[in-house]
Amino acid sequence: MLEIPKELYEKLKGILGNRVKIEEDFLEKYSHDETAELQSIVPGAVLFPISTEEVSQIMKLANTYKIPITPRGAGTGLSGGAIPAQGGIVLSLEKMNKLLEFDEANLMITVEPGMITSEIQKVAEKYGLLYAGDPCSSESSTIGGNIAENAGGNKVLKYGPTGAHVYGLEVVLPTGEITNFGGKMVKNVTGLDLVHLMVGSEGTLGIVTKITLRLMPKPKFSVALLAPFKSVETAIKAVPMLIKDAGVMPSSLEFMDNPSIKLACKFLNVSFPYADAGAHLILEIEGNDKEAVADEYEKLGDICLREGALEVFVADNRNTREKLWKVRKAIAEALMVYSPVHCMEDVSVPTANIPALLKGAMKIANSHELETIAFGHAGDGNVHITFIRGESSIDHWNNHLKPALENLYELTKELGGCISGEHGIGLKRKKYLPIVLDKPQINLIKGIKRIFDPNNILNPGKIVDIQ
């Protein structure tokens, strides 16, 4: 690991004062994210800039001294993206959390990267508008982190992932230069689409310091449906039918198997309808006409019953909807509490191939004698298949996890999918990237990284290695 030279430390203190932290408790806190199976790596210092100019000065110094910089939002990532793989400096953007502009006329909002995602949603709601980016971690994740991973979430089916709402970015390059990509234009083919090259680049190409997001009118009515099914297979087979036959595009179509529901309910100390059912689907429908929304959810409910749902529960007010979503959003946190030794995956396949993915994943888990649960965004094909150590020995876990992951990724490729739908490659999946990407494409990724970051100082060791 590279040590931070004393001369550099003094220069950083000159820029940031007491916002340069080297105390042991700070360093430990910023040595990991929420990826359960990755080891922590302690940085040499944690910096807390409060302006673009400070970020620029830091990057110029880091580039001169060739010291690694790992940008960080709230540390809620699930790929090891915020772990300082080569030590050096963690650059925390959590203090850059201001609302910079609310442009109602253009339906645009400009914020700093450290703003919590749910706070953006709340600002939009005050004006009767919607920020549709809605990751399950919205109450804790920052918008900058969402952009780094192109976060998905519950409403991707209708509104798309984070990148669909990003129109402009201010970026500090690894050299310290400041540039702006995009803006408030809805249409823009002036040069390459560097906005959406930055989105999902996992903090390896530049540091985002300002973000312009597009808002939309908030639907007046929203209804959620909860449909329990006897088995995982029955529930998953219903998903393509729900999308195809109803003539309705739900904003959400989520899937939870029985073990994941029981885990979340235990964590929250709540009961759940048909808690012993094999699996549940949650559907949400939004619109501006109450009767039209009612007609749509009736169609979807009828298809659920036709496809084998044991019952269909309607949550047509905010309180009942929030109770449903609270269970769905608590699964990841419950895993950390009750099954801390686990590996949550993020594979994504074409929607019609979800049944084959789930069946194959269960077979893989059984063949390696690992426990597993499955939940996620069934409507867009992104399923969080999670291997759990359970009662097996740590040696068994260590010996079987890697081949189980390789089997899962190979199955995913066979089904036309990818190994990460929203969590990113980071450290966690880097060695598996060649399973799904060919050599020419990996070389292109490496070439882009070299152009942006010739000294390989910005989040080195993530996605691909270039040195």
Side-chain angles (χ1 to χ4, degrees), residues 398-448:
N398 290 336
N399 290 333
H400 284 268
L401 178 60
K402 182 179 178 181
L405 288 175
E406 289 175 347
N407 294 160
L408 177 64
Y409 294 153
E410 287 162 357
L411 171 65
T412 300
K413 182 182 180 180
E414 291 173 10
L415 295 173
C418 61
I419 63 175
S420 179
E422 60 182 359
H423 293 167
I425 301 302
L427 286 176
K428 177 180 168 71
R429 301 179 181 88
K430 180 175 67 172
K431 63 185 175 183
Y432 303 108
L433 201 59
I435 292 176
V436 290
L437 297 186
D438 59 27
K439 190 172 181 180
Q441 191 167 167
I442 290 175
N443 285 338
L444 281 171
I445 294 170
K446 290 180 178 181
I448 292 168

Side-chain angles (χ1 to χ4, degrees), residues 150-177:
N150 194 17
N154 303 317
K155 295 187 177 183
V156 169
L157 181 60
K158 185 171 184 177
Y159 299 114
T162 297
H165 314 288
V166 179
Y167 280 72
L169 297 172
E170 178 185 77
V171 177
V172 177
L173 299 174
T175 57
E177 297 168 288

